[in-house]
Amino acid sequence: MLCVKQLKIIEVKIKSEAQKMDSYIYIDGWKANIRFSSAHIIPEYEKCGRLHGHTYAVHAKITGDPDSKGIIMDFSALKEILKKIVNDLDHKVLIPEKSIAAKIEKNKENVKINSLGKKYVIPINDCVFLPIKSTSAENLSNYIFNKLITNIKFPKNVEKIEIGVDEGFGQGARISDKL
Ligand SMILES: [Zn+2]
């Protein structure tokens, strides 16, 4: 049984630990409507080497100390930039410009993709070119992370950013780095 003095000590300990806890804000792309539907080919895996599509959701976790108003950063500013990034990908064929496994050629009208001996010809306006080796969820997370940090000025109190890309419900990749 604890006496009053012991209870006071425990209360002080809990408060000081809370002050050291990490704070973050989180945006769930499924619920916040930061989603896109796209087609891609991943020739490194036979099944994924066929042209197919997914609905993706992008999540963001921003870690930092809340400012004097108790805020890490404005949700709406973050959502606005993320929506712009995903809108550029939406209803497009994702083309990994640095692909080694697929041979990609383009002219003014079309993109030719040679994947696992198969040839796809897609109108260039239906494609979006990404500076990555493959359009895996991991690489898409990396791409969106880089796009985000070059398009938004984070407040000084933000310490770490995590971006997640789900390829359908319940599976996806996460990437995080300190600012
Ligand atoms: Zn896929």
Side-chain angles (χ1 to χ4, degrees), residues 26 28 30 55-57 59 137 165-174:
Y26 187 75
D28 180 321
W30 293 117
T55 294
Y56 297 89
H59 313 296
V165 172
D166 282 356
E167 202 178 74
F169 286 116
Q171 57 183 22
R174 305 288 182 265

Side-chain angles (χ1 to χ4, degrees), residues 121-139:
V121 180
I122 301 163
I124 198 160
N125 291 335
D126 291 357
C127 299
V128 60
F129 295 89
L130 304 173
I132 50 182
K133 284 183 181 172
S134 84
T135 50
S136 63
E138 292 86 339
N139 287 344

Side-chain angles (χ1 to χ4, degrees), residues 55-102:
T55 294
Y56 297 89
V58 175
H59 313 296
K61 180 179 172 182
I62 309 294
T63 305
D65 287 328
D67 63 13
S68 58
K69 295 172 192 163
I71 289 168
I72 296 171
M73 78 172 287
D74 184 2
F75 280 116
S76 57
L78 183 61
K79 281 165 62 180
E80 193 180 323
I81 299 288
L82 288 170
K83 278 188 180 176
K84 276 185 188 170
I85 295 170
V86 302
N87 281 346
D88 289 342
L89 308 175
D90 192 34
H91 285 71
K92 297 271 188 174
V93 180
L94 308 177
I95 308 289
E97 281 184 315
K98 296 184 178 176
S99 177
I100 295 165

Side-chain angles (χ1 to χ4, degrees), residues 40 42 48 52-54 56 167:
H40 75 162
I42 300 183
C48 306
H52 65 282
H54 301 281
Y56 297 89
E167 202 178 74

Side-chain angles (χ1 to χ4, degrees), residues 9 23 26 31 40 42-43 50 71 76 80 116 131 142 159:
I9 289 165
S23 299
Y26 187 75
K31 293 174 184 168
H40 75 162
I42 300 183
R50 301 194 287 261
I71 289 168
S76 57
E80 193 180 323
L116 304 172
N142 203 317
E159 295 164 4

